[in-house]
Amino acid sequence: KAGVTQTPRYLIKTRGQQVTLSCSPISGHRSVSWYQQTPGQGLQFLFEYFSETQRNKGNFPGRFSGRQFSNSRSEMNVSTLELGDSALYLCASSLGIRGDSPLHFGNGTRLTVT
Amino acid sequence: GIQVEQSPPDLILQEGANSTLRCNFSDSVNNLQWFHQNPWGQLINLFYIPSGTKQNGRLSATTVATERYSLLYISSSQTTDSGVYFCAVERDTGGFKTIFGAGTRLFVKA
């Protein structure tokens, strides 16, 4: 069974631009969550989707948004990029409603904002 | 909000040594997971362990939910065990939010 797939692996953008990252969960998994990892702040929860509905959101500005499609694939979008948005963005999927099954992570998208 | 603290922050071991990593959390949680992040950034789920003890090869984990801590044991360490170990807790706050500890950075010397 294929794992969680994130695309692209690497991305370089300029301040003020926007970016869209994609995540395909493990087949059969319906929950997708997103995380930002930086050296200073560690791993931080961005948001979580289940059955196309955002169920929870972390403490990030409105420039960070996401969505989930009917096939459980998810995208996250960051608008008006800032230098501080440079980070490793990780997506995870789990089988059911969150809290009752383990998280499985993709390899991440490394975003550099110049 | 809930606080998750991991100790030690850094650990250097000689290959073959054993170690114990600790994760303390400040409030009740619905579940707890341990992850290993390898030097290439990949996060691997080691244990899903809201309570009790589990073993997987040279690794085992114990969570005592009533006392709000979890332990990860690594026996006969190998150089491939190097990386960062994270614990993460989840709480139902009307939707699940995952909170990660800062991690324990492990280096195993050959």
Side-chain angles (χ1 to χ4, degrees):
Chain A
K1 188 183 270 191
V4 178
T5 304
Q6 291 188 245
T7 56
R9 289 296 309 277
Y10 302 92
L11 208 46
I12 300 175
K13 291 286 188 179
T14 304
R15 270 182 303 176
Q17 289 185 314
Q18 73 165 15
V19 66
T20 299
L21 310 182
S22 179
C23 173
S24 294
I26 292 171
S27 178
H29 284 196
R30 297 171 62 191
S31 174
V32 173
S33 49
W34 290 88
Y35 305 83
Q36 181 195 65
Q37 186 176 27
T38 59
Q41 299 299 316
L43 274 156
Q44 293 185 283
F45 172 80
L46 277 158
F47 28 64
E48 179 219 351
Y49 290 87
F50 181 83
S51 292
E52 302 178 64
T53 301
Q54 186 181 89
R55 286 170 47 85
N56 211 343
K57 183 172 165 59
N59 297 324
F60 280 82
R63 299 185 297 107
F64 291 81
S65 63
R67 59 179 175 169
Q68 186 181 33
F69 302 95
S70 58
N71 62 358
S72 294
R73 191 178 71 86
S74 177
E75 290 181 347
M76 68 163 279
N77 183 276
V78 187
S79 62
T80 319
L81 284 165
E82 300 177 359
L83 295 179
D85 297 333
S86 295
L88 178 65
Y89 290 88
L90 291 157
C91 160
S93 74
S94 59
L95 186 58
I97 296 175
R98 285 287 303 286
D100 67 354
S101 54
L103 292 173
H104 298 274
F105 281 85
N107 289 332
T109 294
R110 189 166 295 279
L111 171 65
T112 302
V113 182
T114 62
Chain B
I2 190 170
Q3 304 297 315
V4 181
E5 294 182 355
Q6 291 187 242
S7 59
D10 298 281
L11 187 58
I12 300 175
L13 296 176
Q14 193 66 44
E15 194 170 30
N18 303 327
S19 63
T20 301
L21 281 56
R22 188 176 179 102
C23 173
N24 292 334
F25 43 99
S26 61
D27 206 341
S28 61
V29 297
N30 294 89
N31 70 64
L32 183 142
Q33 301 180 65
W34 283 97
F35 298 90
H36 174 224
Q37 189 167 41
N38 63 27
W40 297 272
Q42 189 177 14
L43 264 173
I44 304 297
N45 193 304
L46 299 175
F47 293 102
Y48 173 86
I49 186 165
S51 63
T53 297
K54 290 187 178 180
Q55 179 148 11
N56 184 1
R58 297 181 296 102
L59 303 181
S60 64
T62 295
T63 296
V64 183
T66 53
E67 297 187 23
R68 299 179 185 166
Y69 73 89
S70 183
L71 302 173
L72 177 69
Y73 306 94
I74 304 174
S75 64
S76 304
S77 59
Q78 301 175 358
T79 57
T80 51
D81 295 331
S82 297
V84 184
Y85 290 81
F86 292 99
C87 73
V89 302
E90 293 185 319
R91 293 193 70 191
D92 186 357
T93 57
F96 279 87
K97 181 180 283 192
T98 307
I99 300 166
F100 282 82
T104 291
R105 186 175 300 276
L106 173 65
F107 179 68
V108 181
K109 299 188 295 183

